[in-house]
Amino acid sequence: MRHLLDDLEKWYAEGRAFALATVVSTLRSAPRDAGAVMAVGSGGEVLGSVSGGCVEGAVYELACEVIASGRPESAAYGVSDDDALMSGLTCGGTLEVFVEPVDRVRWPDFPALAAALRAGTPVAVATVVAAPDAERVGARAVAGLAGAVEGAEVGLLADAAREMLGRGETGLIVPGACGDGPSAVAAVGSAPPGEVAFVRSYVPRPALLVFGCNDYAAAVAQAGAFAGYRVTVCDARPVFTTHARFPGVDELVVDWPDRYFAALTPDARTAVCVLTHDPKFDVPLLVRALRTQAGYVGAMGSRRAHEDRLARLREAGLTEAELARLHSPIGLDLGARTPQETAIAVLAEIVKRRRGGSGEHLSRTGGRVHAVR
């Protein structure tokens, strides 16, 4: 929902009601993951997408009904529906969408949630999407925010939200159930019988740390921002580390790379790209980076530079297991030549490492197109 915030906050501030349609579960090759959001304003405006175009028309009509009635609704779409020819998913999957009304009365905590999303504060929202008691549908709890939460028995919802947030997961919570489908399903035995909740976890954007201030670094930083990373560019030379050369990055740091990195605590979602081409910068930095939990560490250079770098890293005390984590030369083999093409190759390798893809042509593989997280 982060990319919709500007408009949603504007609608909310103007006192306009709108509807949020959220994918709460998927089956087979549904085009969007659970948590995908489409918003419909009271004036008919549409933001976001729940299916990439397959069922948007049907969801739009349902959202308009929800705005008019003020009551949340759920709907399932897929090839098994009677109206499959009109709104079914041509890719063969199915998805369930929960549509809820939002305004100042129904969601007084929305501004606090929006502020948390902008600040990168971890937060989760648990919403009852099905219940024997119709009055419970739409009850909501927010974990990670100070202040009141709404709805009866919100303590159980808040506990569920915190549990899912701790794992960074988004999906359904079904009492006493379990599963391994594409939407995370957790068992919460203490929840009211027959009540199903959907938890949307908002965790901070993964970090992309780019070291070096050349044209390749600028292209990688731009591609990383486009891919949803929080991008930091670091270089020891202030004349090159400027906003004019790196517009749109989240942070510019003028410091010796390994000294700056020493103060960080990378996690498994952190990607480190060493593009300095200078052993006095990249070797001390890689020694530190390869001994952290960073999920991806890559370094740019030729085959000869790579062999020289490995020798220097061994001399610095790195083990073969630690060296095995290094992606060097950086990026997938796409035949890239320009900085922009190289950036695509680098981000492709980062995504492959993070999501567990094969890197093979999809035309030569079978099974799901979108990896199950």
Side-chain angles (χ1 to χ4, degrees):
M1 194 166 63
R2 288 186 179 95
H3 65 292
L4 308 182
L5 276 181
D6 287 345
D7 291 293
L8 297 185
E9 286 183 299
K10 180 181 178 182
W11 292 351
Y12 192 93
E14 293 173 349
R16 298 174 54 191
F18 57 92
L20 278 181
T22 304
V23 177
V24 297
S25 68
T26 65
L27 180 64
R28 298 193 301 276
S29 298
R32 299 294 303 276
D33 287 336
V37 171
M38 185 174 86
V40 177
S42 56
E45 309 93 328
V46 180
L47 306 170
S49 171
V50 292
S51 72
C54 300
V55 301
E56 260 64 18
V59 175
Y60 174 82
E61 295 296 333
L62 180 59
C64 291
E65 295 175 9
V66 166
I67 293 174
S69 69
R71 295 190 302 272
E73 299 283 352
S74 294
Y77 303 93
V79 294
S80 61
D81 293 345
D82 293 336
D83 59 348
L85 293 178
M86 179 178 68
S87 62
L89 303 178
T90 57
C91 53
T94 61
L95 56 84
E96 183 177 1
V97 177
F98 178 74
V99 185
E100 58 188 317
V102 179
D103 56 34
R104 294 176 180 176
V105 174
R106 295 182 178 88
W107 200 336
D109 287 337
F110 183 81
L113 172 63
L117 297 185
R118 290 195 181 280
T121 303
V123 62
V125 180
T127 306
V128 177
V129 297
D133 180 2
E135 296 299 319
R136 282 281 296 159
V137 176
R140 184 185 306 107
V142 183
L145 293 179
V149 290
E150 54 185 295
E153 300 176 3
V154 294
L156 295 177
L157 283 179
D159 290 344
R162 291 188 192 95
E163 180 183 344
M164 295 283 277
L165 180 61
R167 299 196 300 264
E169 293 180 350
T170 288
L172 290 173
I173 295 176
V174 182
C178 61
D180 57 359
S183 301
V185 179
V188 182
S190 58
E195 185 168 294
V196 178
F198 178 75
V199 175
R200 180 69 168 102
S201 292
Y202 299 94
V203 294
R205 289 175 292 160
L208 173 62
L209 307 176
V210 180
F211 294 91
C213 280
N214 50 44
D215 290 344
Y216 291 94
V220 169
Q222 183 180 24
F226 177 76
Y229 283 81
R230 186 185 189 280
V231 181
T232 298
V233 176
C234 174
D235 195 284
R237 303 164 297 174
V239 67
F240 296 110
T241 316
T242 65
H243 287 285
R245 291 171 58 85
F246 294 91
V249 302
D250 296 278
E251 186 178 15
L252 280 175
V253 177
V254 179
D255 200 351
W256 205 264
D258 68 305
R259 182 170 60 190
Y260 167 72
F261 191 87
L264 305 179
T265 308
D267 61 23
R269 301 190 306 150
T270 300
V272 180
C273 295
V274 181
L275 313 177
T276 53
H277 285 295
D278 190 333
K280 70 175 179 290
F281 289 120
D282 60 19
V283 171
L285 171 60
L286 287 171
V287 170
R288 291 188 182 276
L290 291 170
R291 288 173 170 169
T292 68
Q293 298 299 313
Y296 175 90
V297 180
M300 178 172 281
S302 65
R303 302 287 183 188
R304 179 178 298 178
H306 170 64
E307 293 303 322
D308 177 73
R309 182 184 295 126
L310 287 180
R312 292 173 184 269
L313 292 173
R314 289 189 179 99
E315 290 177 2
L318 286 188
T319 66
E320 294 304 312
E322 290 168 336
L323 291 175
R325 299 185 57 226
L326 176 62
H327 296 266
S328 175
I330 196 170
L332 296 184
D333 180 13
L334 303 183
R337 298 184 64 86
T338 68
Q340 291 73 25
E341 291 175 345
T342 301
I344 293 172
V346 171
L347 262 295
E349 185 174 55
I350 291 173
V351 172
K352 174 182 178 296
R353 177 68 180 85
R354 181 182 175 194
R355 302 297 192 186
S358 67
E360 179 59 274
H361 295 283
L362 287 174
S363 61
R364 299 177 183 173
T365 64
R368 291 176 58 90
V369 172
H370 301 286
V372 177
R373 292 181 294 182

